[in-house]
């Protein structure tokens, strides 16, 4: 009788433990999903590899939205398998999963007399690399629950990570143990995200564009066409007459129209640098190989000119002359 009771108690204990385990968040070494495509929060993510913790880090529109709020801590964890792979290759493998744990900060409590310490959890977000299932990287809003839906790909986090992430869509630049690995493996790359300035309106709102653009490249061929309202393809039939009648000083498709197009370039420069003082400026087009245009760009303070290969010697000579003249 005692044996039967003992067995029954053991079976009951196992059943209870199984029920409790099913009620808890999933313990995992990588991304797992529910039947309705929600990402499960791994119960053991705090046993994963801790990468970094930031305090009050905000950028883009988020910075403006949280300007008046107390700073928050961002704790970043990655699954161990992905971490080991990164340490060997400097890249993230499939099934990489990042957990971003957001916690409140506090400064007054117990024996603390200065600085901040971490408080209660506010929310959790995740970033997952799963090309077969998600088409690449995807973000999930888990909040305070145990699972979360994918954030729509129209959200700003996708653009921000793809443009600003130092390695494969991720902010390795903020992870001090990983950045040296990426440099050693040659997987970290630096690049700028910018835009062409080819229509007058772009010049007039350059201060707004410079919030996101890190460089402006003047497409002087198209900017000339849209500013003067004439087609380069058709201009050969009337520009000689315009020049003869002093309507234009010279062919604006050969040498920059400094009074019109040039003025728009000046406005773009001033507006762009007002928003982003270190913005990189240059031109792209045949004007980049014309001496008078190169010298004009030098006076504007542009950083570079781009032109056809056969014009490069002329452009370099004109740039050298402009530097000596100044």
């Amino acid at each position: 009788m005692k044996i039967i009771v003992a067995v029954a108690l053991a079976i009951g204990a196992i059943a209870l433990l199984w029920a409790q385990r099913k009620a808890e968040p999933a313990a995992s070494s990588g991304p797992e999903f529910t039947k309705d495509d929600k990402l499960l929060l791994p119960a053991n993510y705090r046993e994963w590899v801790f990468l970094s913790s930031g305090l009050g880090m905000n950028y883009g529109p988020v910075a403006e939205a949280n300007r008046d709020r107390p700073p928050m801590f961002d704790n970043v964890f990655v699954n161990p398998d992905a971490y080991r792979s990164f340490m060997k290759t400097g890249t993230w493998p499939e099934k990489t999963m990042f957990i971003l744990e957001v916690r409140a900060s506090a400064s007054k409590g117990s024996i603390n007399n200065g600085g901040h310490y971490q408080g209660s959890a506010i929310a959790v977000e995740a970033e997952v690399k799963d090309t077969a299932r998600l088409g690449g990287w995807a973000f999930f809003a888990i909040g305070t629950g145990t699972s979360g839906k994918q954030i729509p790909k129209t959200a700003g986090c996708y653009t921000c990570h793809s443009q600003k992430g130092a390695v494969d869509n991720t902010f390795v630049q903020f992870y001090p143990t990983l950045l040296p690995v990426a440099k050693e493996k040659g997987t970290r790359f630096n690049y700028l995200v910018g835009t062409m300035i080819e229509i007058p309106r772009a010049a007039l709102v350059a201060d707004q564009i410079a919030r996101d653009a890190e460089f402006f490249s003047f497409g002087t061929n198209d900017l000339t066409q849209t500013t003067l309202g004439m087609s380069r393809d058709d201009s050969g039939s009337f520009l000689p007459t315009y020049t003869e009648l002093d309507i234009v000083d010279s062919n604006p498709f050969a040498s920059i129209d400094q009074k019109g197009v040039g003025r728009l370039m000046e406005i773009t420069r001033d507006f762009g640098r007002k928003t982003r003082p270190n913005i990189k400026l240059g031109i792209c087009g045949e004007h980049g190989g014309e001496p008078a245009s190169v010298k004009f760009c030098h006076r504007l303070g542009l950083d570079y000119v781009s032109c056809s290969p056969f014009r490069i010697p002329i452009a370099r000579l004109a740039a050298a002359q402009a530097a000596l003249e100044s």
Side-chain angles (χ1 to χ4, degrees), residues 6-285:
V7 171
L9 289 173
I11 293 174
I14 293 172
L16 179 61
L17 289 172
W18 178 254
Q20 289 178 339
R21 185 174 181 181
K22 287 188 69 177
E24 294 176 351
S28 172
S29 61
E32 295 182 358
F33 298 87
T34 64
K35 293 181 179 180
D36 55 351
D37 292 325
K38 290 182 179 180
L39 178 70
L40 290 170
L41 174 66
N44 63 332
Y45 76 84
R46 278 195 150 267
E47 299 174 10
W48 288 7
V49 179
F50 172 73
L51 295 180
S52 183
S53 183
L55 175 63
M57 293 183 66
N58 282 316
Y59 35 85
V62 177
E64 190 67 26
N66 292 280
R67 174 180 293 181
D68 299 325
R69 296 183 180 181
M72 296 180 292
F73 281 96
D74 295 330
N75 300 317
V76 183
F77 304 85
V78 69
N79 53 324
D81 290 344
Y83 177 81
R84 286 190 288 268
S85 178
F86 188 94
M87 297 301 288
K88 293 179 181 179
T89 65
T91 60
W92 297 112
E94 291 292 321
K95 307 298 183 180
T96 293
M97 183 173 177
F98 285 86
I99 293 294
L100 174 67
E101 179 192 69
V102 181
R103 287 184 173 269
S105 67
S107 57
K108 296 180 181 180
S110 186
I111 62 173
N112 184 56
N113 293 317
H116 294 78
Y117 58 91
Q118 298 196 27
S120 59
I122 296 176
V124 170
E125 294 183 358
E127 182 183 11
V128 174
K129 183 178 183 180
D130 191 334
T131 303
R133 186 185 189 102
L134 305 170
W137 289 96
F139 298 88
F140 293 81
I142 297 174
T144 57
T146 58
S147 64
K149 294 181 179 181
Q150 181 178 343
I151 298 173
K153 292 200 172 184
T154 54
C157 52
Y158 288 88
T159 302
C160 184
H161 275 255
S162 65
Q163 293 180 352
K164 307 293 185 179
V167 178
D168 191 15
N169 214 69
T170 61
F171 292 143
V172 169
Q173 61 264 42
F174 299 134
Y175 308 148
T177 59
L178 298 186
L179 186 56
V181 176
K183 290 180 177 179
E184 178 188 348
K185 304 296 184 181
T187 55
R188 179 179 182 268
F189 57 95
N190 295 313
Y191 63 92
L192 300 177
V193 177
T195 186
M196 301 285 289
I197 303 296
E198 297 180 310
I199 58 176
R201 190 180 188 281
L204 298 176
V205 296
D207 54 336
Q208 299 176 41
I209 299 174
R211 295 173 187 170
D212 298 304
E214 297 172 294
F215 73 84
F216 288 154
S217 181
F218 294 101
T220 50
N221 294 332
D222 286 332
L223 186 58
T224 297
Q225 292 189 103
T226 56
T227 301
L228 299 182
M230 62 174 67
S231 169
R232 180 175 58 173
D233 297 334
D234 301 331
S235 61
S237 62
F238 56 81
L239 272 181
T241 303
Y242 279 20
T243 304
E244 186 178 332
L245 296 174
D246 292 328
I247 297 175
V248 295
D249 296 331
S250 60
N251 183 347
F253 294 108
S255 184
I256 290 176
D257 166 34
Q258 299 182 20
K259 295 177 182 178
V261 175
R263 178 60 184 140
L264 288 174
M265 294 172 67
E266 291 176 359
I267 292 172
T268 303
R269 175 201 62 190
D270 295 342
F271 281 7
R273 286 180 174 163
K274 181 180 179 181
T275 299
R276 189 184 294 270
N278 62 340
I279 192 168
K280 192 171 184 178
L281 303 173
I283 68 170
C284 177

